[in-house]
Amino acid sequence: FFFFLFFSFSFLLIFFLLFFLFFPFIVYVPVASRSTVLFFITRDLANIEPMYQYSLQWFVNIFDKSITNSEKSSNIIERLLKLNDHVTYSIYKKVCASLLEKDKLMFSFLMSTRIIQSLQKTITSLKNIEDFKKQHDQDTTFSSSSNSDNDINDSDDEKKKDISTTTTSTTILGLGTISQSIKRATLSTSSLTISTFTSKEFRFLLLGQASAPLEEGTDTTVPHSMTSWLSTRAWIDLMVLSTMLPIRSDSITLIASFVQSNAEWKVVYDAEDPDFTPFPDGYDEEIKLSKFQRLCLLRCLRPDKVVPSVVRFVASTLGHKFTEPPSFDLASAFKDSSNIIPIVFVLSPGTDPMANILRLANKKGSKVDSLSLGKGQGPVATKMVNQATVNGSWAVLQNCHLF
């Protein structure tokens, strides 16, 4: 008996110690979730270009600096928001410095969609828990009411007490009630409007008709009234997209709308900027397509306008600063380097950073030794680097080749 009592007391003591030690950190779970999403985005960039590879230590260093440099706040929700925004933009700046120009918008779009997908899963799971709790409360309330009807001795006060106990909010450790958690998950993404989308819509934007091929034998002939301005490929894309978009209250699908109102849709097709042109047949008023759904529809009608629309989508999700990659700052890159982390310049033909390097070295009061590599220059370069490690000078190796 004494052994059991001692064991129970020890278990409770350990539990409370762990609770009070880790409780202050649990509220930062949304920041950890955002950082996880960002890390795997950077990891997946290697699938686009093998040169785009980033280490976990590099990511952790940026994360630690964001914790230190982000704006402080005594309000935990504001603190979460500022931390997430600072980490997100810091990763964006550092990664953009190492991306080719053609891939920078793609990276911004990937960030916005991955963040939305992550938050959709979080909020959906929290809402499912809340719905389950409400259903459980209703069942418990109904059971309490039935039992009270059978017991004529129950007073009205006792009945009210039983019902009130079933309507208490479910609390998630470190996050508060579920409704507060849903709000906090939304706030911790951004203060801007979020355009949700489904996985099918995302695949369609990337792959078009290949994302969900039509059944064999489906008639894909373009109606005669639209052959003058709509290609067969665009028509098939519209047929696939029509299965994903909401249907009007009168059961008119997107394809049926194009057949009935082809003149109105041609106005959208001919518009200089179709993204700002109202869609006919209630696709703006009744159905109210989301920004992402409009993006999918533009992919079918005007592929040449997808890039400007993607820019606006990113701006409305993460902010305009994520659509304007910062220019390369050598001084900032120098702060991220060390005696064991060099700066590597991947140059396009005709560019030479040597003038900027000499200017920064003069500002820092450092000596610069440079060498253009070629046949037989390997030993000379090794000697120059070894000397730089001793006297603290900068060793610049030019004419390097990537393999």
Side-chain angles (χ1 to χ4, degrees):
F1 174 78
F2 288 105
F3 175 77
F4 174 76
L5 188 62
F6 175 76
F7 178 79
S8 301
F9 177 76
S10 301
F11 177 79
L12 289 175
L13 182 61
I14 293 173
F15 174 79
F16 281 109
L17 283 174
L18 292 175
F19 177 81
F20 286 109
L21 282 174
F22 291 101
F23 179 79
F25 305 103
I26 296 177
V27 295
Y28 291 96
V29 167
V31 179
S33 177
R34 168 67 68 84
S35 301
T36 302
V37 172
L38 294 174
F39 173 73
F40 283 103
I41 292 174
T42 59
R43 191 198 65 170
D44 291 343
L45 289 176
N47 297 326
I48 300 170
E49 169 60 56
M51 182 178 64
Y52 299 156
Q53 297 190 38
Y54 308 89
S55 68
L56 177 60
Q57 186 60 48
W58 168 86
F59 186 90
V60 170
N61 289 338
I62 296 177
F63 182 78
D64 290 342
K65 290 180 180 179
S66 293
I67 293 176
T68 304
N69 299 330
S70 58
E71 185 179 345
K72 307 298 186 294
S73 175
S74 57
N75 185 302
I76 185 59
I77 294 181
E78 291 183 3
R79 175 60 175 161
L80 292 175
L81 178 59
K82 295 180 187 301
L83 262 176
N84 271 339
D85 287 347
H86 196 282
V87 170
T88 304
Y89 190 60
S90 295
I91 293 296
Y92 172 73
K93 289 194 299 182
K94 300 300 181 183
V95 173
C96 275
S98 60
L99 295 181
L100 299 175
E101 197 65 32
K102 65 181 183 67
D103 295 329
K104 291 181 179 179
L105 178 59
M106 178 273 303
F107 176 60
S108 299
F109 182 67
L110 191 60
M111 287 180 67
S112 62
T113 53
R114 288 283 187 88
I115 290 172
I116 292 174
Q117 286 175 326
S118 172
L119 285 163
Q120 283 182 169
K121 292 179 181 178
T122 302
I123 296 174
T124 300
S125 62
L126 291 173
K127 286 183 177 178
N128 290 338
I129 296 173
E130 187 177 41
D131 293 340
F132 173 79
K133 178 66 171 89
K134 289 180 180 178
Q135 183 63 39
H136 174 72
D137 290 344
Q138 292 174 0
D139 294 342
T140 306
T141 303
F142 176 77
S143 176
S144 300
S145 301
S146 300
N147 292 335
S148 63
D149 290 339
N150 294 331
D151 189 357
I152 59 175
N153 295 323
D154 286 345
S155 64
D156 293 339
D157 292 339
E158 290 174 339
K159 291 179 183 179
K160 292 178 181 179
K161 183 179 179 180
D162 289 339
I163 295 175
S164 65
T165 56
T166 63
T167 57
T168 55
S169 298
T170 299
T171 300
I172 299 178
L173 187 63
L175 295 179
T177 63
I178 293 175
S179 58
Q180 291 172 342
S181 303
I182 295 173
K183 181 180 179 182
R184 186 168 299 176
T186 306
L187 286 174
S188 63
T189 172
S190 176
S191 57
L192 301 175
T193 303
I194 301 301
S195 178
T196 58
F197 55 88
T198 65
S199 57
K200 288 184 178 180
E201 292 169 352
F202 184 70
R203 288 197 297 270
F204 176 82
L205 185 64
L206 297 180
L207 303 174
Q209 57 188 270
S211 63
L214 298 172
E215 295 182 2
E216 188 175 352
T218 303
D219 184 13
T220 58
T221 305
V222 183
H224 180 70
S225 58
M226 291 182 282
T227 54
S228 61
W229 59 276
L230 198 62
S231 66
T232 303
R233 180 184 180 86
W235 179 248
I236 297 176
D237 283 344
L238 287 170
M239 293 178 68
V240 174
L241 182 60
S242 180
T243 63
M244 304 176 187
L245 295 183
I247 300 176
R248 279 174 26 187
S249 57
D250 53 1
S251 301
I252 299 296
T253 63
L254 178 65
I255 288 298
S257 173
F258 265 81
V259 174
Q260 294 180 3
S261 309
N262 65 85
E264 289 81 357
W265 281 109
K266 189 175 186 302
V267 172
V268 178
Y269 177 83
D270 292 333
E272 182 178 353
D273 197 341
D275 198 15
F276 290 102
T277 304
F279 289 168
D281 276 358
Y283 277 89
D284 274 337
E285 295 82 8
E286 181 182 347
I287 296 180
K288 295 182 180 179
L289 297 180
S290 66
K291 289 184 177 65
F292 199 90
Q293 290 170 338
R294 291 180 67 92
L295 196 56
C296 292
L297 190 50
L298 284 177
R299 186 195 189 282
C300 303
L301 292 177
R302 294 287 299 275
D304 59 310
K305 296 297 183 180
V306 169
V307 171
S309 296
V310 167
V311 172
R312 284 189 284 267
F313 178 85
V314 173
S316 66
T317 304
L318 297 179
H320 287 283
K321 60 184 179 181
F322 288 87
T323 63
E324 302 171 353
S327 57
F328 177 72
D329 183 8
L330 182 57
S332 177
F334 178 77
K335 291 180 181 179
D336 295 330
S337 65
S338 69
N339 59 332
I340 59 174
I341 303 178
I343 300 176
V344 179
F345 297 89
V346 182
L347 306 174
S348 57
T351 57
D352 186 6
M354 198 62 197
N356 292 332
I357 294 174
L358 293 174
R359 191 179 304 113
L360 181 62
N362 183 57
K363 184 177 179 181
K364 298 290 183 181
S366 299
K367 179 185 176 183
V368 178
D369 297 321
S370 63
L371 176 67
S372 181
L373 296 180
K375 187 175 181 180
Q377 295 297 312
V380 179
T382 302
K383 181 179 179 181
M384 188 179 71
V385 171
N386 290 334
Q387 289 178 347
T389 59
V390 175
N391 56 33
S393 61
W394 294 4
V396 180
L397 302 181
Q398 298 175 300
N399 198 31
C400 303
H401 293 276
L402 297 175
F403 293 95

